[in-house]
Amino acid sequence: MTASREDWGDQKCLTALPYICKRTNITTVQPSLPSLSVPTPGSCAQDWHAFINKCFRIYNQEKVTWLEAKRKCEIQSGILATISNHLEQAFITTLLPNVTFDIWIGLHDSKKEFLWVESETVKYVNWAPGEPSGYGTSIANDQPTNCAIMWHGLPSLFTGRWDDRNCQEEKHIFICQKSKDPTMNPSSTSFSSVLNSTLSYLNNTYRVLMKPLKWHEAVLLCESLNGSLANVMEPFTQAFLTQAINSLYTPLWIGLSNEEGRRNYEWFTDESVSYKNWQDGEPQQILGCAYMDIDGTWRTATCNTKLQGAICKLNTGPLSSHKWSYNGSCPKTIEDSSWVPFRNHCYAFHMEVILGQKEAMKKCQKVGGMVLSIEDEMENIFIWQHLQVYESQAKGVWLGMSFNPKGGTLVWHDNTAVNYSNWGQHDTGPSMISPNSCYWIQSSNGVWRLGSCSNVTMGVICKTTRVKGSSISKPAFLENTKTIVVVILSSLALCALVAVALYLYKRRWISERGTFESARYSRTNASPSESAEKNILVSDMEMNEQQD
């Protein structure tokens, strides 16, 4: 980058130049996660649920004491469930929406301290607030006094949390576990492909975005997918999302913020925060936005912080407007062009066909748009996000860019300068650019490329501005204008026909009236003599005087 003009150039890599470093400004310590077991081959029997190397099953047909539950699990060649980390806890919580009772787990205090069955040490706990409270002092024998249940009831805010109860007197349903059967065919994992795919749970659909985004940018990008930043209203969804994002190892924005100095954080959808999963000490930011950390807990950061992604919740109905909404609407669907709004523009994705540059220009002009131009990084991220869905159909789309030989610069098709770029490593040299070059953006990574204009392996994205106060595009407007002209001409023709009909009717009426008046003066078809006319006139006058 030159210091004088701030433009980019290429240079030999061994040339000694000053350099600039960049690092994140997030100084918080990332939580350490427990190492997970490597999944082994095999699967689980019917009614058992596989997670990594374990199989779980909830027995909710009868309530029993803790010791009876322990014995029943052993009859099934298993043990009462032991929970080793937050992911196992999250998995079990996702199984609970249809369960209505508290559940025995394999935690007890028979040795004056809490241990798992088979004397396994406790490495992870999920006690509810104020627990364990203790129901008595255990005697140092094999008969524990206090045993742990997993909460489930109303309100459901603490569902999945642990409480200690009297092992010998209380009766509850229970959950067993056993190892996977290595002889069974392995079952598919629920989160084998989180990126660029939709995730469904409890009648809701989610999508995880992995792009560098500020919070407001994440809001707009989710909306372009007909969604909104995710809200988490109960522990079941929280547990599901905790599992979904585990393999990504990066914090993700959610739809929780406090930008106006309110007393509390609120969801983007204006719903109050009833369920909370804040990490200890949070929220630290009085004004800020919330994200889901790699362990599933919520933390806060300034809303202008760039995180590496976000969680969107897809909507089935229309999106509601908000203070970050842009004015105007997209054109109506024309032919095969369906428009996607983003900020001040609308985009029509045509990945079903591969076109040359000139054909792409004609197609966009036909629907009232221009071939794609990209003004900044956020727009490039938006295009990249949507292109990844079509990666199997086309490796990229054309950019509406050309080389201006007079100025020696690149310009968009509307003659505005190219002030933002995202060239690949081998496409940055000025010697590579010429009037015979054409330019495209790669579907897999959002990087810009240049190549031959005769290359017909590209799709096309048409772009147009939002229509202020109307949703009719230019071609549609012209089509409507033609219709209006036809209607006006038809109306004029109809008026002319009505006028002619009235004229003919009036002319006939006058003609008939003239004949009638003539009959009063002529009582015969022959021409009257002068004396006869006088007699008739006198007779008429006398008749009129008699009427008066």
Side-chain angles (χ1 to χ4, degrees):
M1 178 184 293
T2 61
S4 58
R5 295 189 302 171
E6 299 180 2
D7 55 1
W8 298 357
D10 57 344
Q11 187 62 268
K12 292 183 178 180
C13 300
L14 297 177
T15 304
L17 293 173
Y19 53 92
I20 300 173
C21 298
K22 177 182 177 181
R23 67 179 183 184
T24 179
N25 61 0
I26 299 177
T27 58
T28 54
V29 179
Q30 297 293 338
S32 58
L33 296 178
S35 57
L36 301 178
S37 303
V38 178
T40 57
S43 187
C44 301
Q46 186 177 2
D47 298 327
W48 291 76
H49 304 276
F51 182 75
I52 306 181
N53 297 326
K54 294 181 179 181
C55 300
F56 295 97
R57 181 177 178 181
I58 297 174
Y59 288 87
N60 58 0
Q61 301 301 318
E62 60 175 334
K63 294 182 179 181
V64 296
T65 64
W66 188 86
L67 289 173
E68 289 173 336
K70 178 175 179 291
R71 185 169 59 254
K72 286 180 178 292
C73 286
E74 291 170 349
I75 292 173
Q76 299 294 326
S77 301
I79 59 174
L80 271 173
T82 64
I83 303 173
S84 306
N85 53 63
H86 73 288
L87 288 178
E88 284 188 3
Q89 175 64 59
F91 176 77
I92 293 174
T93 303
T94 60
L95 304 177
L96 301 182
N98 296 323
V99 177
T100 56
F101 304 106
D102 296 337
I103 307 169
W104 287 123
I105 57 176
L107 192 63
H108 63 92
D109 68 344
S110 63
K111 304 293 184 182
K112 292 189 176 181
E113 62 177 346
F114 278 95
L115 294 171
W116 293 110
V117 290
E118 299 186 342
S119 300
E120 181 183 342
T121 58
V122 178
K123 299 178 182 178
Y124 167 81
V125 294
N126 191 38
W127 294 110
E131 301 298 339
S133 56
Y135 271 78
T137 303
S138 295
I139 303 172
N141 55 31
D142 292 335
Q143 300 297 322
T145 302
N146 300 313
C147 297
I149 57 100
M150 189 178 294
W151 269 359
H152 191 290
L154 295 175
S156 64
L157 302 181
F158 292 112
T159 291
R161 295 294 190 96
W162 305 349
D163 186 8
D164 60 327
R165 300 288 178 84
N166 190 304
C167 309
Q168 300 172 20
E169 296 180 3
E170 294 195 23
K171 293 184 177 182
H172 301 285
I173 63 174
F174 55 97
I175 179 170
C176 301
Q177 77 173 46
K178 59 183 177 180
S179 299
K180 285 198 298 187
D181 184 350
T183 63
M184 297 183 67
N185 293 326
S187 57
S188 59
T189 58
S190 302
F191 305 107
S192 57
S193 179
V194 172
L195 297 180
N196 302 321
S197 61
T198 56
L199 307 171
S200 297
Y201 182 71
L202 295 182
N203 298 321
N204 292 315
T205 305
Y206 301 88
R207 189 162 180 178
V208 177
L209 309 180
M210 287 297 289
K211 305 289 185 297
L213 299 167
K214 299 177 183 178
W215 190 83
H216 302 96
E217 295 171 341
V219 168
L220 297 176
L221 193 55
C222 284
E223 286 194 344
S224 75
L225 299 168
N226 196 39
S228 56
L229 272 177
N231 57 359
V232 184
M233 308 304 293
E234 26 70 22
F236 310 117
T237 297
Q238 174 63 55
F240 174 79
L241 294 176
T242 297
Q243 294 182 82
I245 69 173
N246 172 67
S247 62
L248 304 179
Y249 298 103
T250 186
L252 300 170
W253 288 121
I254 56 176
L256 192 61
S257 69
N258 185 5
E259 291 193 290
E260 300 175 354
R262 298 185 297 262
R263 294 182 60 185
N264 300 300
Y265 274 68
E266 292 183 359
W267 291 111
F268 174 73
T269 51
D270 292 330
E271 294 165 296
S272 60
V273 180
S274 54
Y275 169 76
K276 302 175 183 178
N277 195 41
W278 292 114
Q279 195 174 89
D280 291 341
E282 292 285 356
Q284 293 184 356
Q285 298 279 343
I286 298 176
L287 299 177
C289 297
Y291 61 88
M292 191 176 292
D293 215 339
I294 56 178
D295 63 348
T297 58
W298 306 347
R299 304 186 72 176
T300 56
T302 59
C303 299
N304 286 328
T305 303
K306 277 204 172 183
L307 299 184
Q308 293 305 306
I311 305 174
C312 301
K313 180 180 179 181
L314 305 186
N315 297 331
T316 55
L319 298 173
S320 57
S321 60
H322 49 80
K323 67 178 183 179
W324 299 287
S325 298
Y326 284 77
N327 295 325
S329 56
C330 288
K332 299 292 185 184
T333 299
I334 302 172
E335 296 180 354
D336 56 347
S337 295
S338 182
W339 297 90
V340 177
F342 182 71
R343 299 195 300 192
N344 283 320
H345 292 88
C346 304
Y347 304 79
F349 290 77
H350 294 283
M351 310 301 292
E352 72 284 356
V353 293
I354 51 176
L355 303 171
Q357 242 274 356
K358 292 183 178 179
E359 289 77 12
M361 292 174 62
K362 291 178 182 178
K363 185 171 186 63
C364 288
Q365 289 172 357
K366 187 177 180 181
V367 297
M370 300 184 72
V371 178
L372 175 66
S373 60
I374 299 178
E375 300 174 4
D376 55 30
E377 181 186 15
M378 188 58 220
E379 188 174 15
N380 199 81
I381 288 174
F382 159 74
I383 295 297
W384 175 23
Q385 176 65 42
H386 284 262
L387 281 182
Q388 286 181 304
V389 179
Y390 303 101
E391 190 175 348
S392 60
Q393 299 183 36
K395 70 176 183 179
V397 295
W398 292 112
L399 289 170
M401 184 193 302
S402 60
F403 180 75
N404 183 3
K406 293 182 179 179
T409 58
L410 290 171
V411 294
W412 298 111
H413 285 173
D414 61 358
N415 291 322
T416 57
V418 177
N419 294 321
Y420 164 81
S421 62
N422 191 38
W423 295 110
Q425 184 177 359
H426 302 293
D427 298 296
T428 57
S431 60
M432 302 288 289
I433 300 173
S434 72
N436 296 323
S437 299
C438 285
Y439 314 93
W440 54 283
I441 177 172
Q442 192 168 329
S443 298
S444 60
N445 55 16
V447 170
W448 297 9
R449 304 291 186 189
L450 57 83
S452 170
C453 296
S454 61
N455 190 337
V456 292
T457 60
M458 303 301 158
V460 58
I461 300 175
C462 302
K463 177 180 175 181
T464 187
T465 56
R466 285 183 186 247
V467 182
K468 299 295 189 294
S470 174
S471 60
I472 302 176
S473 65
K474 186 176 179 181
F477 175 76
L478 294 176
E479 190 66 31
N480 288 348
T481 302
K482 294 178 182 178
T483 305
I484 292 170
V485 170
V486 171
V487 170
I488 292 174
L489 291 176
S490 300
S491 300
L492 291 175
L494 181 61
C495 290
L497 289 173
V498 171
V500 171
L502 287 174
Y503 171 76
L504 294 175
Y505 174 78
K506 188 174 181 181
R507 184 175 178 183
R508 180 181 177 185
W509 181 78
I510 292 173
S511 175
E512 290 177 351
R513 182 177 176 83
T515 303
F516 172 74
E517 292 294 338
S518 297
R520 296 182 61 190
Y521 292 96
S522 177
R523 307 293 174 89
T524 177
N525 292 332
S527 298
S529 63
E530 185 177 350
S531 60
E533 289 179 356
K534 289 181 180 181
N535 291 335
I536 294 171
L537 182 58
V538 170
S539 175
D540 288 342
M541 290 174 66
E542 290 175 350
M543 183 177 62
N544 291 335
E545 288 175 357
Q546 291 175 359
Q547 291 177 354
D548 293 339

